[in-house]
Every structure is written in C-alpha cells, then in structure tokens.
Amino acid sequence: MGEIRVLPEEVSSKIAAGEVIEGPHSIVRELIDNSLDAEAGQIKITVNNGGKDYIQVTDNGRGMTEADALLSVQKHTTSKISDIEDLNTIATMGFRGEALSSICTVSAFTMLTKMEDGNTGTKLTYCFGKELSSEPAASNTGTQVIVKNLFQNMPARRKFLKSNRAENAKIKDEVLKKALGFSERGFVYKADDRIVLNLKPGKNISERVEDIFGKDLNDNLFEVYHEDEKFSLRVFISNQKHTLSNRNGQFVFINRRPVFDRALLYTLNNPAKGIVQAGRYIYAFVFIEIDPSIIDINIHPAKKEIKIKTAEKIRSVLFSNVERLLRTHYYPARFGSQETYTVSSEYGEGQRVFSGGTSILRGTELSESFASGSPDIFTGPVVNGIEFDDVSDGAALGPADKLADNENRIPGPDNIIPDLDNLLFFRGVVFNTYIVFEARDFLFIVDQHAAHERVLYEKFKRGAKNLDAVKNLLIPINFTPPRAKYADYLDSIDAFRGAGLELEPFGDESFNITTVPAFVPEKGEEEAISYILDEFNNGKMTPDAREIKERFIKLVSCRSAVKEGDVVKEPQARVLLRELNNTQIPAVCPHGRPTFIRVSKENVEKVFKRR
Ligand code: ADP
Ligand code: MG
C-alpha cells in the first residue's frame, strides 16, 4: 500500500512541535484520534492503574500494511498530509506524524494491525524506541495498540504522574470528549476491569448525551442551530435542573475537535449572568463546523487550541443564541402551568417544605387558570399562623438609596391590573421584606428587593433607556489606579469606552473619567464608577465592554430597587407582582437568587398533619 510517507523537513519544521505525550491521557487521546482517522466504527479503550502500566486501544478501522506499520512509528511519518498547504483542508484529527513515534520511545509498545485485503496481519514490538520484532500475525481487520510501562525509562517523568484516580479521571475526560464529538462511533472504555463507558454506535448527539449523562439531563437540554455561509453552530444547554459548580459539563468542539478556547467559554457563560445563580454553570455542548481553511489548528501540539479568523462573528452568534435559550428555557415552568419542580438545594431548607414550583403566572394565564375557579376561594381568611406587618397607613414607597431614580420606582396604584386584584390576596409583608400573597391553593412569598431588582434589570436591558447612550460629566472624575494596575487601565481604555466610560490619561499615573452610561442616575455617577473601578482593581471583572456594562446595569438595578425593610404597601406590592410576572425570567433576581417561593396549601396541611 505504502500510504504513509515521511514528511519533508521543510514541512515538519513548520508544524507546531512540542511534547504531545504528557501522560496516559495523551496516549489515549492520540490513539483514539488515530482510530477515528482510520474510520473505525468501534473503538475499545482498556487501561490499568491509571494507564501507567497498561493502555490498550483497539479499533476496527482500516488497518495498515506491514510496510506502513513499520513507517508509522518513525518520526514525522503520516498518511494525512504531504505539504503544508494540506493543513488548510485538513479533515483528520491527526496530521503531525508524531504520536506513534513518541509513544514508542517512552513505553513497551506493541501494535497489531491488519487491512481488510485478506493478507495476514503484522505485529510490531518496540521497547523504549528499540525495535524488538516485526512479524506476521493473525489479526482481525483493524489496529490494536498496547502501551505498557509508560515512562519507565524516564523515572523523573514517571514520578510526575498523578494518582491512579486522577489519571483515570483525565483519561475518562478524553474519552468523553471523543465520544461526544463522534456520536456515530461506538466506544467502550474499561478501567481496571470495570466498564466505565459502553457507548453504542449510530447515535446522534442527543442520544449520546443521554447515554453518557442520563435521561434526565437530556430531557432538560435545549437545542439551537444556526447556519450561515461561513460556519454552523449547534448548541445544547441545560436548564436550572442541571447545573454544576464548575465548568466540567461544558464542551466545545470545532470541526469535531474538542477545544479549550477561553474566549468561547467566556462567551458561552456570559449570557448566564443575571439568570444562572452565581457560582453555578450550565451544561453546554457546543458544536461549531467551519471551513478548515479559515482556522489554524497548528498552534498547539496537543491540538487543544485553534485560531479562527471569524472568531468574533462566531462569538456573537453563540452569545445571542445561548442568551435566547436561557431566557426561554432556563426556568421553564411558569406560575399557573402544571409544571412543578423543586426549589434547588442551594436555596437551603426551604426545599423540604416548599416543593411547589417557582414560576409565576403570566397575566393571561392567570385569568385562564384561576378565574374559572369558585369565587369563594378568593375570599378566604388570612393565612393562619403568619403574622404580618400592619401597613394600613403611612409612608410612601421610597427607595432610600442615593442611586434612586424616580422613573425606576414601583409605579403607582393606577397601573394595577384589575384581574390580579381579584385573584390574589395581599396578605401583608413579613420580616419587613417578604410580601405574602394568597391565591386559591397557594401562598406566594415574594422577596421585595430581589423581585424589584429583576423588574428593573430587565427594564434597563430592554433599553427602556438607550443602553449605549452616554452622558458627559460636567466635572470629570479623576482617579489614580494602584501603580501595578496602571498599564491594565491603559490597555482597557477601549473596553471601558465600549461600556460608556471614557478614560482619558491625565499626567503619568491618573485618569480623568469624562462620560458614564446615560442610564446611571443623576448623582449616582460617583458611586457607580467607584464600584466598577473597585471590581476591576480587585481582579473581579475582566476588561470586556459587555461585562462592564452588565455590572453597571446590575448595580443600578440593585441600587434603585426597594430594599429590605423599605415599607411596601398593597398597591405597590401588586404592581411589583404584575411587573415581575411580565419579566422574562421572573423566578430569579439578576444575581440568580430566587425572587419568590410558592408554598402550596397542601404542603402547609402536610406540615400540620392534616393530610
Ligand atoms: P498522525 O496521526 O499525525 O498521522 P501518528 O504517529 O499518530 O501520526 O500516526 C502515523 C500514521 O500511522 C497515520 O498517519 C496513519 O496512517 C497510521 N495509523 C496510526 N494509527 C492507525 C490506526 N489505528 N489505523 C490505521 N492507521 C493508523
Ligand atoms: Mg495520530
């Protein structure tokens, strides 16, 4: 056959060289890549002791002739490219011709391979780079590579390998990524005689996700697809039922290659701000298909990073699609729909008692689902056992904060929807903060601050005011950043400008701020600016225009919202509820905390042992 050739020096020298074999997981990754490139439909991975002592990868791919097998373990030998131009159209996982030769020099290496042509197979054995034998051997069609005693010839390297458990975790991660990128192929992964993954071939992405992560995750995944002439993008994300405290559930693939791209990951998580609770991450599976000629995969020896020419466009499409999915699906249930789900455990004890849903009635659903009920149910007595503030007279609602802005206050009584009046009973405010409503069989306990924050946040975002407008400060605000941060500020002037803050260098070490976003209320400018600068100084915010603006919006929403302890009367409480109801994500404040909980009568009765 003689498909494999030695890359000419001028080609091999242009390929990003580097250590491809960091540990057992890299061997697994490279061997699976080879099996995938050989069009194997079934790939079996077996490891012992974290792969340190034994790794076997067996495939039913196209196999090799004896001559090719012998060439394949030499340096810079590949069947996948022959000149550097081929990298522009590369459709295979491998192309450097380095993996087998590197693996061969650091292990006791055996390869058994046979093509489909009826000839016998070939068996090669190498020991730390030295050929021991090459002989005909019976074999199924395909290739099997066995790697033993990794790094035994390099004690220092071997010492750096982690515990079996840690190495196994890394191996599993590699297998997972390949299995997600190639859902049509079958994978079996065995570690120390235990089958860890047994994934049948012929699956689509969603079936593969289900096989790996379970039905419940798959049932709570939402998909969006975008395609234009430059690229296509398929995204699956989870709703609030499935989140993790780290990003281990997030996978990004470019042309089926798993990539770790900080900018893409950042873009993926950015829309979650204001929806997903801080510190939690959604599951996400992102598949980008793009013309290979506009990407450069040759910048990282382990092929983890990729340079993309249309990166900016891809990021913006990713952002808007993820944002839309989150908005519509993250909190799927609405108050009044049949769907119920448990308040997730981060919200603490409440879960045990309040097993009701956390969605809220939309105005229309409200009338449909409740108005038909018996009128009696709306005239019941005050809920037993709950004491509430007497708010029958007194102070008007007034956000006490200095960022307060008249327009952002809860609107007055004239905006009240009559239906809501009839359907929900205002039962008072408890602990100076929680507004209690009763509706037929439910109690709603609304956190007045969180709810108002959500309302204001969405108002700002909707562009009730133009988010991009800036206003000039009559007197520029001068500030001197910590010395070590000065250069960062200089580098970030564009990002700040994009968020509405114009920083003008003043002298050698300070800046004048001459503009702020127009939505920052009168007299609140200084506080808003100092908050943003503090966040930046403390490394809590990256210099990204979108993120800076998001911080402004959250801050202004938070500062303008009624506070814990502010007196809220029935008319304002009703308007607040209606406005909350009309937001896109009523169930959480922009920081991801719940805005209200729903307690069912049934649950109360259970607690009192009446049921
Ligand atoms: P690369 O994958 O970058 O080409 P490798 O060193 O991983 O470099 O492999 C060298 C060559 O050996 C491949 O180009 C391919 O032709 C052949 N090869 C390796 N593994 C297999 C396999 N499992 N089945 C068939 N051919 C293989
Ligand atoms: Mg390879």
Side-chain angles (χ1 to χ4, degrees):
M1 260 274 158
E3 264 193 66
I4 302 184
R5 57 214 153 246
V6 181
L7 286 177
E9 159 71 21
E10 75 265 21
V11 178
S12 60
S13 64
K14 286 195 189 104
I15 287 178
E19 190 45 77
V20 273
I21 308 304
E22 287 166 18
H25 69 282
S26 354
I27 294 186
V28 169
R29 178 191 63 227
E30 294 297 327
L31 293 180
I32 297 178
D33 275 354
N34 283 348
S35 299
L36 291 168
D37 287 343
E39 275 154 21
Q42 189 69 45
I43 301 167
K44 189 173 159 194
I45 304 104
T46 307
V47 305
N48 287 337
N49 292 338
K52 295 176 212 170
D53 296 334
Y54 185 89
I55 298 171
Q56 183 204 100
V57 175
T58 305
D59 68 50
N60 62 353
R62 81 170 85 82
M64 283 174 270
T65 59
E66 183 188 2
D68 269 358
L70 281 166
L71 261 182
S72 73
V73 294
Q74 301 302 315
K75 265 202 157 146
H76 302 307
T77 50
T78 181
S79 55
K80 298 167 193 173
I81 60 169
S82 41
D83 60 48
I84 205 79
E85 299 297 309
D86 290 345
L87 281 181
N88 289 334
T89 51
I90 191 99
T92 51
M93 294 292 113
F95 55 84
R96 296 193 168 86
E98 279 186 326
L100 289 185
S101 72
S102 314
I103 298 171
C104 216
T105 57
V106 295
S107 68
F109 176 96
T110 313
M111 180 156 74
L112 182 61
T113 184
K114 189 181 98 67
M115 298 191 77
E116 208 175 10
D117 55 13
N119 294 330
T120 40
T122 305
K123 184 175 173 184
L124 295 185
T125 46
Y126 275 74
C127 198
F128 302 111
K130 220 177 107 228
E131 183 182 332
L132 295 185
S133 66
S134 146
E135 60 202 16
S139 168
N140 294 329
T141 301
T143 302
Q144 176 178 76
V145 173
I146 296 177
V147 177
K148 290 192 209 163
N149 306 339
L150 177 62
F151 294 149
Q152 204 133 78
N153 57 335
M154 311 165 91
R157 295 283 297 274
R158 191 161 169 101
K159 222 174 63 197
F160 268 105
L161 296 177
K162 302 249 159 38
S163 69
N164 290 354
R165 233 177 106 204
E167 294 294 345
N168 273 333
K170 289 200 255 179
I171 293 171
K172 185 178 173 191
D173 191 52
E174 296 288 353
V175 179
L176 271 187
K177 288 190 281 195
K178 299 298 168 189
L180 285 166
F182 290 83
S183 63
E184 81 282 8
R185 321 282 184 102
F187 291 82
V188 177
Y189 166 46
K190 258 171 90 176
D192 302 313
D193 294 329
R194 199 172 62 86
I195 294 185
V196 182
L197 292 168
N198 184 358
L199 304 168
K200 300 267 172 291
K203 304 291 178 141
N204 62 30
I205 296 165
S206 142
E207 292 164 334
R208 179 55 54 93
V209 167
E210 177 162 335
D211 290 344
I212 297 174
F213 298 96
K215 182 166 177 352
D216 200 56
L217 175 64
N218 194 36
D219 288 347
N220 287 285
L221 277 189
F222 297 89
E223 180 184 355
V224 63
Y225 181 73
H226 165 96
E227 188 177 342
D228 59 35
E229 67 282 1
K230 291 259 161 55
F231 66 95
S232 77
L233 175 76
R234 187 181 295 284
V235 182
F236 298 80
I237 65 164
S238 65
N239 63 14
Q240 50 78 41
K241 277 189 175 175
H242 291 275
T243 61
L244 292 176
S245 60
N246 52 44
R247 295 179 182 182
N248 291 350
Q250 304 190 335
F251 300 86
V252 180
F253 300 87
I254 296 179
N255 294 350
R256 311 183 105 193
R257 205 182 281 282
V259 293
F260 182 82
D261 182 304
R262 274 175 210 288
L264 278 173
L265 280 174
Y266 177 76
T267 307
L268 173 66
N269 286 290
N270 207 15
K273 292 171 187 161
I275 299 179
V276 178
Q277 199 194 15
R280 304 293 299 179
Y281 297 90
I282 49 171
Y283 280 84
F285 305 92
V286 177
F287 298 86
I288 297 165
E289 291 290 328
I290 186 169
D291 176 353
S293 67
I294 55 173
I295 61 182
D296 185 358
I297 44 182
N298 186 27
I299 57 167
H300 192 281
K303 303 167 222 150
K304 274 195 261 180
E305 282 170 27
I306 282 188
K307 249 209 202 108
I308 318 169
K309 292 190 185 126
T310 47
E312 192 55 44
K313 176 85 199 321
I314 294 180
R315 282 204 294 274
S316 98
V317 170
L318 178 65
F319 181 90
S320 58
N321 280 291
V322 171
E323 189 188 41
R324 196 153 46 82
L325 280 183
L326 280 173
R327 239 194 297 121
T328 35
H329 298 293
Y330 188 68
Y331 279 96
R334 312 218 75 107
F335 181 30
S337 70
Q338 286 310 304
E339 196 162 352
T340 58
Y341 51 85
T342 318
V343 177
S344 54
S345 55
E346 307 91 354
Y347 304 150
E349 287 189 9
Q351 183 186 16
R352 270 181 281 134
V353 184
F354 310 132
S355 61
T358 50
S359 64
I360 193 164
L361 264 183
R362 291 227 164 258
T364 52
E365 287 172 21
L366 180 86
S367 38
E368 277 161 26
S369 43
F370 285 127
S372 54
S374 148
D376 297 349
I377 56 174
F378 298 118
T379 56
V382 171
V383 178
N384 290 324
I386 291 186
E387 289 176 29
F388 55 92
D389 274 13
D390 176 10
V391 289
S392 55
D393 66 57
L397 178 76
D401 207 272
K402 51 185 155 140
L403 276 189
D405 174 352
N406 275 330
E407 269 188 74
N408 300 323
R409 293 188 186 183
I410 299 177
D414 24 11
N415 297 350
I416 296 172
I417 290 184
D419 293 24
L420 265 175
D421 255 355
N422 293 328
L423 298 168
L424 288 174
F425 280 93
F426 175 71
R427 295 304 185 202
V429 177
V430 294
F431 307 133
N432 289 321
T433 299
Y434 306 100
I435 306 167
V436 179
F437 286 98
E438 181 188 345
R440 203 167 62 170
D441 293 334
F442 293 99
L443 268 188
F444 293 93
I445 304 177
V446 182
D447 178 327
Q448 63 186 37
H449 175 69
H452 198 194
E453 239 182 332
R454 164 55 64 188
V455 168
L456 296 177
Y457 176 76
E458 289 200 11
K459 255 190 204 167
F460 286 126
K461 282 228 136 170
R462 265 200 314 274
K465 301 179 177 185
N466 179 0
L467 285 186
D468 292 329
V470 295
K471 58 181 176 188
N472 291 311
L473 293 171
L474 283 180
I475 304 162
I477 295 176
N478 182 268
F479 82 100
T480 308
R483 198 169 285 276
K485 276 271 166 187
Y486 182 71
D488 291 344
Y489 274 99
L490 277 181
D491 289 344
S492 310
I493 284 181
D494 284 344
F496 280 105
R497 180 180 302 124
L501 271 193
E502 187 66 48
L503 303 189
E504 285 174 3
F506 185 79
D508 296 340
E509 50 187 27
S510 81
F511 293 90
N512 275 340
I513 296 181
T514 56
T515 67
V516 290
F519 63 79
V520 173
E522 201 80 22
K523 301 205 180 77
E525 295 92 351
E526 248 175 85
E527 186 196 346
I529 290 170
S530 87
Y531 165 79
I532 295 288
L533 299 181
D534 277 353
E535 293 285 284
F536 189 63
N537 290 341
N538 299 332
K540 290 193 198 141
M541 190 180 73
T542 52
D544 172 88
R546 223 184 238 152
E547 174 161 0
I548 300 170
K549 195 176 286 178
E550 172 80 16
R551 295 296 178 106
F552 269 124
I553 296 171
K554 276 191 192 166
L555 177 78
V556 172
S557 315
C558 180
R559 290 297 191 264
S560 311
V562 288
K563 293 283 160 328
E564 187 181 332
D566 287 349
V567 178
V568 173
K569 314 286 217 115
E570 173 164 0
Q572 293 101 7
R574 287 187 177 281
V575 175
L576 175 59
L577 190 76
R578 183 191 43 99
E579 295 211 330
L580 179 65
N581 205 16
N582 287 330
T583 60
Q584 294 185 305
I585 302 150
V588 282
C589 79
H591 309 288
R593 289 189 296 272
T595 53
F596 69 93
I597 52 176
R598 184 171 72 160
V599 187
S600 72
K601 185 175 169 208
E602 191 185 331
N603 269 319
V604 173
E605 289 177 341
K606 276 190 187 146
V607 172
F608 287 104
K609 309 281 181 224
R610 285 171 176 270
R611 277 187 183 236

